[in-house]
């Protein structure tokens, strides 16, 4: 029995480790790759855009006037947009991070209640004809509800009670006079409600797109400053060296801005990334799933595994 339990636990831990590796790789692809591409695009086209604005849009005098110390229109425009973006992005990150924190607390509470339910089921229902059915419903609850972070919480809670595994467990164990399992199922359903409420998205998708629009407006002001640099270059200055340094700085700014936006979007996603709870949840239920499989195998062999 000890060898069988060790094999099952190792299998679950191996699957959780591979899941964590896949999540890390996927997050790097979705976060780092777009940031690097944006930085390369900014480096490659900054000087061309600045030169185009200088030659076709505004004259040298107009650009110098807008950037002058007396008017400071372009620097003020850039400061206001940067301040707005910092406030909104910071608040969005804070709200989404606090939501992830509340999801962790809710999951720990729910998994603890699920383990209590399994222990009480093993003590009270073992040897009874409906014991295998109760174990099956607990397994369905873990697989189709607790671990389904990819399904919107409103869809999970809107399901009919007759399709709810916890409702079926309560019916099998508490018909007539309620048993002690009734209170545990009740607590588990409350913990499930807390988890679904924590997982529900509070920050709308529109907010993400508005952050992208603000970022584009902020970055668009820098080519104007580059055009002003072209207008202010002296005869003995090398434009390629000046634009080379500006392009490098603009590339770093563009990559960092996209990196921040992609991290916020990863936090906004309910599952599928390193910033989400997928890997942690998989590790949390390792012991619970191993216990269920062990007890199910004990039933198949004709004996009950006792703790």
């Amino acid at each position: 029995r000890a060898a069988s339990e060790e094999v099952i636990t190792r299998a679950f831990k191996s699957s959780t480790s591979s899941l964590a590796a896949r999540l890390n790789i996927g997050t790097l692809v979705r976060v780092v790759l777009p940031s690097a591409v944006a930085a390369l695009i900014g480096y490659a086209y900054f000087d061309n855009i600045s030169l185009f604005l200088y030659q076709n849009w505004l004259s040298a005098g107009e650009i110098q006037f807008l950037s002058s110390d007396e008017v400071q229109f372009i620097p003020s425009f850039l400061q206001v947009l940067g301040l707005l973006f910092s406030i909104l992005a910071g608040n969005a990150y804070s709200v989404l991070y606090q939501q992830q924190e509340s999801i962790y607390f809710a999951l720990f509470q729910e998994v603890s209640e699920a383990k209590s339910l399994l222990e009480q089921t093993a003590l009270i229902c073992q040897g009874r004809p409906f014991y295998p059915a109760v174990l099956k419903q607990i397994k369905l609850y873990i697989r189709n509800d607790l671990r389904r972070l990819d399904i919107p919480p409103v869809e999970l809670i809107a399901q009919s009670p007759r399709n709810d595994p916890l409702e079926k467990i309560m019916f099998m164990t508490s018909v007539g006079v309620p048993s002690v399992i009734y209170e545990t199922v009740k607590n588990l359903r409350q913990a499930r409600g807390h988890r679904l409420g924590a997982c529900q998205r509070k920050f709308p998708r529109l907010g993400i797109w508005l952050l992208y629009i603000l970022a584009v407006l902020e970055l668009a002001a820098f080519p104007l400053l580059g055009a002003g640099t072209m207008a202010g270059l002296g005869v003995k200055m090398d434009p390629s060296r000046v634009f080379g340094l500006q392009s490098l700085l603009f590339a770093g700014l563009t990559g960092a801005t996209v990196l921040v936006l992609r991290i916020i979007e990863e936090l906004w996603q309910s599952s599928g990334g390193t910033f989400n709870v997928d890997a942690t949840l998989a590790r949390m239920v390792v012991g619970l799933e191993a216990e269920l499989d062990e007890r199910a195998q004990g039933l198949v062999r004709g004996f009950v595994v006792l703790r």
Side-chain angles (χ1 to χ4, degrees), residues 45-58 63 223 227 230 243:
Y45 291 100
F46 175 79
D47 53 350
N48 295 327
I49 296 175
S50 299
L51 186 60
F52 174 81
L53 294 177
Y54 173 72
Q55 293 178 346
N56 301 285
W57 197 9
L58 296 174
I63 295 175
M230 175 67 71
F243 274 115

Coordinates of all heavy atoms in Angstrom, one line a residue, residues 45-58 63 223 227 230 243:
Y45 N 12.4 52.1 -36.2 CA 11.6 53.1 -36.9 C 11.5 54.5 -36.2 O 10.8 55.4 -36.7 CB 10.1 52.6 -37.1 CG 10.0 51.5 -38.1 CD1 9.9 50.1 -37.6 CD2 10.0 51.7 -39.4 CE1 9.9 49.1 -38.5 CE2 9.9 50.6 -40.3 CZ 9.9 49.3 -39.8 OH 9.8 48.3 -40.7
F46 N 12.1 54.7 -35.1 CA 12.1 55.9 -34.4 C 12.6 57.1 -35.3 O 12.0 58.1 -35.4 CB 12.8 55.9 -33.1 CG 12.8 57.2 -32.4 CD1 11.7 57.7 -31.7 CD2 14.0 58.0 -32.4 CE1 11.8 58.9 -31.0 CE2 14.0 59.2 -31.8 CZ 13.0 59.6 -31.1
D47 N 13.8 56.9 -35.8 CA 14.5 57.9 -36.6 C 13.7 58.2 -37.9 O 13.6 59.4 -38.3 CB 15.9 57.5 -36.9 CG 16.0 56.2 -37.6 OD1 15.0 55.4 -37.6 OD2 17.1 55.8 -38.1
N48 N 13.1 57.2 -38.5 CA 12.3 57.4 -39.7 C 11.1 58.2 -39.5 O 10.7 59.1 -40.3 CB 12.0 56.0 -40.4 CG 13.2 55.3 -40.9 OD1 14.2 55.9 -41.3 ND2 13.2 54.0 -40.8
I49 N 10.4 57.9 -38.4 CA 9.2 58.6 -38.0 C 9.5 60.0 -37.7 O 8.8 61.0 -38.1 CB 8.4 57.9 -36.9 CG1 8.0 56.5 -37.3 CG2 7.2 58.7 -36.4 CD1 7.4 55.7 -36.2
S50 N 10.6 60.2 -36.9 CA 11.0 61.6 -36.5 C 11.3 62.4 -37.8 O 11.0 63.6 -37.9 CB 12.1 61.6 -35.6 OG 11.8 60.9 -34.4
L51 N 12.1 61.8 -38.7 CA 12.4 62.5 -39.9 C 11.2 62.8 -40.8 O 11.1 63.9 -41.4 CB 13.4 61.6 -40.7 CG 14.1 62.3 -42.0 CD1 14.8 63.5 -41.6 CD2 15.0 61.3 -42.7
F52 N 10.3 61.9 -40.8 CA 9.0 62.1 -41.6 C 8.3 63.3 -41.0 O 7.8 64.2 -41.8 CB 8.2 60.9 -41.6 CG 6.9 61.0 -42.3 CD1 6.7 61.0 -43.7 CD2 5.7 61.3 -41.5 CE1 5.5 61.2 -44.2 CE2 4.5 61.4 -42.1 CZ 4.4 61.4 -43.5
L53 N 8.1 63.3 -39.7 CA 7.4 64.5 -39.1 C 8.1 65.8 -39.4 O 7.5 66.8 -39.6 CB 7.3 64.2 -37.6 CG 6.4 63.0 -37.2 CD1 6.4 62.9 -35.6 CD2 5.0 63.3 -37.6
Y54 N 9.4 65.7 -39.3 CA 10.2 66.9 -39.5 C 10.1 67.5 -41.0 O 10.0 68.7 -41.2 CB 11.7 66.7 -39.2 CG 12.6 67.8 -39.5 CD1 12.6 69.0 -38.8 CD2 13.5 67.7 -40.6 CE1 13.5 70.0 -39.1 CE2 14.4 68.7 -40.9 CZ 14.4 69.9 -40.2 OH 15.2 70.9 -40.5
Q55 N 10.1 66.5 -41.9 CA 10.1 66.9 -43.4 C 8.7 67.2 -43.9 O 8.5 68.0 -44.9 CB 10.8 65.8 -44.2 CG 12.2 65.7 -43.9 CD 12.9 64.6 -44.7 OE1 12.2 63.8 -45.3 NE2 14.2 64.6 -44.7
N56 N 7.6 66.5 -43.4 CA 6.3 66.6 -44.0 C 5.2 67.1 -43.2 O 4.1 67.5 -43.7 CB 5.9 65.2 -44.5 CG 6.9 64.6 -45.5 OD1 7.0 64.9 -46.6 ND2 7.7 63.6 -45.0
W57 N 5.4 67.2 -41.9 CA 4.2 67.6 -41.1 C 4.4 69.0 -40.5 O 3.6 69.9 -40.8 CB 4.0 66.6 -40.0 CG 2.7 66.7 -39.3 CD1 1.6 67.4 -39.8 CD2 2.3 66.0 -38.1 NE1 0.6 67.3 -38.9 CE2 0.9 66.4 -37.9 CE3 2.9 65.2 -37.3 CZ2 0.2 65.9 -36.8 CZ3 2.1 64.7 -36.2 CH2 0.8 65.1 -36.0
L58 N 5.5 69.2 -39.7 CA 5.7 70.5 -39.1 C 7.0 71.1 -39.5 O 8.0 70.3 -39.7 CB 5.7 70.4 -37.6 CG 4.3 69.9 -36.9 CD1 4.5 69.7 -35.4 CD2 3.2 71.0 -37.2
I63 N 8.0 73.3 -34.7 CA 8.5 72.3 -33.7 C 9.2 72.9 -32.6 O 9.0 72.7 -31.4 CB 9.3 71.2 -34.4 CG1 8.4 70.4 -35.4 CG2 9.9 70.2 -33.4 CD1 9.2 69.4 -36.2
P223 N 8.4 60.7 -31.0 CA 8.9 61.1 -32.3 C 8.8 62.6 -32.6 O 9.6 63.2 -33.3 CB 8.0 60.3 -33.2 CG 7.6 59.1 -32.4 CD 7.5 59.6 -31.0
A227 N 11.7 64.9 -33.8 CA 11.7 65.9 -34.9 C 12.2 67.3 -34.4 O 12.9 68.0 -35.2 CB 10.3 66.0 -35.4
M230 N 15.9 67.2 -34.5 CA 16.4 67.4 -35.9 C 16.4 68.9 -36.2 O 17.4 69.3 -36.9 CB 15.5 66.6 -36.9 CG 15.8 66.9 -38.3 SD 17.4 66.2 -38.8 CE 17.0 64.4 -38.8
F243 N 20.4 60.4 -33.3 CA 19.2 59.5 -33.4 C 19.4 58.1 -33.0 O 18.5 57.4 -32.5 CB 18.7 59.5 -34.9 CG 17.8 60.7 -35.2 CD1 18.1 61.7 -36.1 CD2 16.5 60.8 -34.6 CE1 17.3 62.7 -36.4 CE2 15.7 61.8 -34.8 CZ 16.0 62.8 -35.7

